[in-house]
């Protein structure tokens, strides 16, 4: 049986977390559950207020029922790496058992869609109908949200919602959920706040592209693990 693209991407994520841990990361935690069964997906879906999108089901069934990763590597800015500041970090929490929590957090966004004039930035043409056709995928600690377009002409797109309506608001991170999640995991799940994702964005392809020049610089920085001044590299 061919290895799932999700399994390959999860393995790439494991390698990144292992590297930053060896390089003395301030934090490097990764928990990957076994893939879910159809019965488990069905049980969770029946407890929710809406159906789980088919593409998200595929992630739970082929990849993992729960992915939780958090890593942070302090480093000194080096030549060609000025885009990434003085630290590198990644974070993700995607869980089938905890989907109800994510959907509850998503409810807080309904007011933005109901009254977009009260939201800063670019969100002046949003509506409640738009809100109802989106499904949350990842919630950032600052309130930003990565969502999947479950209905409409742009169905399948993965979009970032910036809670402050900044310039990167509603950027398309992938043309399918599989494309976004695999690309994101291969990069180590950077972000997911908008200011962390924007420097890695391929504006030509309008997606997170792990093969882009900037992505290669990011991965080199992550794997090199340049230490901040005054902090010795740990011995292996």
């Amino acid at each position: 049986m061919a290895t799932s693209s999700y399994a390959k991407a999860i393995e790439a994520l494991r390698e990144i977390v292992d590297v930053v841990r060896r390089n003395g990361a301030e934090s490097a935690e990764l928990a990957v559950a076994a893939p879910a069964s159809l019965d488990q997906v069905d049980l969770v879906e029946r407890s929710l207020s809406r159906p789980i999108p088919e593409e998200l089901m595929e992630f739970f069934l082929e990849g993992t029922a729960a992915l939780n990763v958090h890593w942070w590597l302090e480093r000194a800015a080096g030549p060609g790496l000025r885009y990434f500041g003085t630290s590198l970090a990644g974070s993700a929490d995607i869980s089938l058992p905890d989907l109800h929590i994510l959907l509850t957090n998503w409810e807080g966004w309904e007011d933005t869609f109901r009254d977009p004039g009260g939201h800063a930035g670019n969100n002046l043409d949003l509506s409640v109908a738009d809100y109802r056709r989106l499904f949350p995928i990842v919630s950032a600690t600052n309130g930003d949200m990565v969502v999947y377009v479950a209905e409409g002409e742009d169905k399948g797109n993965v979009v970032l919602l910036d809670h402050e309506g900044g310039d990167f608001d509603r950027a398309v991170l992938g043309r399918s959920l599989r494309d976004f999640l695999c690309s994101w995991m291969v990069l180590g799940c950077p972000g997911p706040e908008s200011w962390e994702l924007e420097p890695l964005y391929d504006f030509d392809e309008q997606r997170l592209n792990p093969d882009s020049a900037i992505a290669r610089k990011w991965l080199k920085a992550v794997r090199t693990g340049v230490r901040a001044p005054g902090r010795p590299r740990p011995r292996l």
Side-chain angles (χ1 to χ4, degrees), residues 5 8 14 32 37 74 77 85 96 103 111 169 178 205-206 214 234:
S5 56
K8 293 178 181 178
R14 287 187 193 277
V32 181
S37 67
E74 187 175 339
L96 175 65
L103 284 168
D111 287 343
D169 185 35
R178 185 180 295 269
E205 293 199 10
Q206 295 193 353
I214 191 64

Side-chain angles (χ1 to χ4, degrees), residues 193-209:
E193 295 182 15
S194 62
W195 65 272
E196 296 170 298
L197 288 171
E198 186 173 5
L200 293 167
Y201 193 65
D202 188 328
F203 284 89
D204 292 331
E205 293 199 10
Q206 295 193 353
R207 57 186 283 262
L208 278 183
N209 177 9

Side-chain angles (χ1 to χ4, degrees), residues 22-192:
R22 290 198 301 270
N23 286 339
E26 282 67 23
S27 176
E29 304 296 332
L30 173 64
V32 181
S37 67
L38 282 170
D39 286 343
Q40 289 173 319
V41 172
D42 181 63
L43 181 64
V44 170
E45 187 174 46
R46 284 190 279 113
S47 71
L48 301 177
S49 59
R50 58 186 299 186
I52 300 172
E54 184 176 346
E55 277 204 80
L56 184 54
M57 282 190 185
E58 290 175 358
F59 173 73
F60 292 135
L61 294 169
E62 296 179 26
T64 171
L67 171 71
N68 187 281
V69 59
H70 178 78
W71 62 268
W72 171 43
L73 178 65
E74 187 175 339
R75 52 171 290 283
L81 304 177
R82 62 189 180 279
Y83 303 101
F84 311 126
T86 58
S87 65
L88 306 172
S91 179
D93 185 3
I94 306 174
S95 170
L96 175 65
D98 292 338
L99 270 185
H100 66 287
I101 298 174
L102 186 62
L103 284 168
T104 298
N105 291 340
W106 174 234
E107 290 175 0
W109 271 85
E110 185 172 2
D111 287 343
T112 295
F113 287 80
R114 191 176 301 280
D115 181 23
H119 184 66
N122 304 324
N123 285 318
L124 298 180
D125 58 346
L126 297 179
S127 68
V128 174
D130 291 318
Y131 169 80
R132 291 173 179 165
R133 67 191 187 93
L134 302 177
F135 195 98
I137 302 298
V138 180
S139 177
T141 55
N142 71 341
D144 293 349
M145 187 78 71
V146 176
V147 298
Y148 174 78
V149 182
E151 300 175 16
E153 293 182 359
D154 51 350
K155 179 180 178 180
N157 283 353
V158 178
V159 178
L160 176 77
L161 297 178
D162 185 328
H163 76 289
E164 293 182 336
D167 292 340
F168 201 54
D169 185 35
R170 287 188 287 173
V172 175
L173 300 177
R175 297 299 177 179
S176 72
L177 186 59
R178 185 180 295 269
D179 173 51
F180 164 68
L181 288 176
C182 287
S183 297
W184 193 41
M185 286 189 287
V186 166
L187 291 170
C189 296

Side-chain angles (χ1 to χ4, degrees), residues 208-221:
L208 278 183
N209 177 9
D211 297 318
S212 68
I214 191 64
R216 289 195 294 271
K217 289 181 179 180
W218 162 265
L219 289 171
K220 180 180 179 181

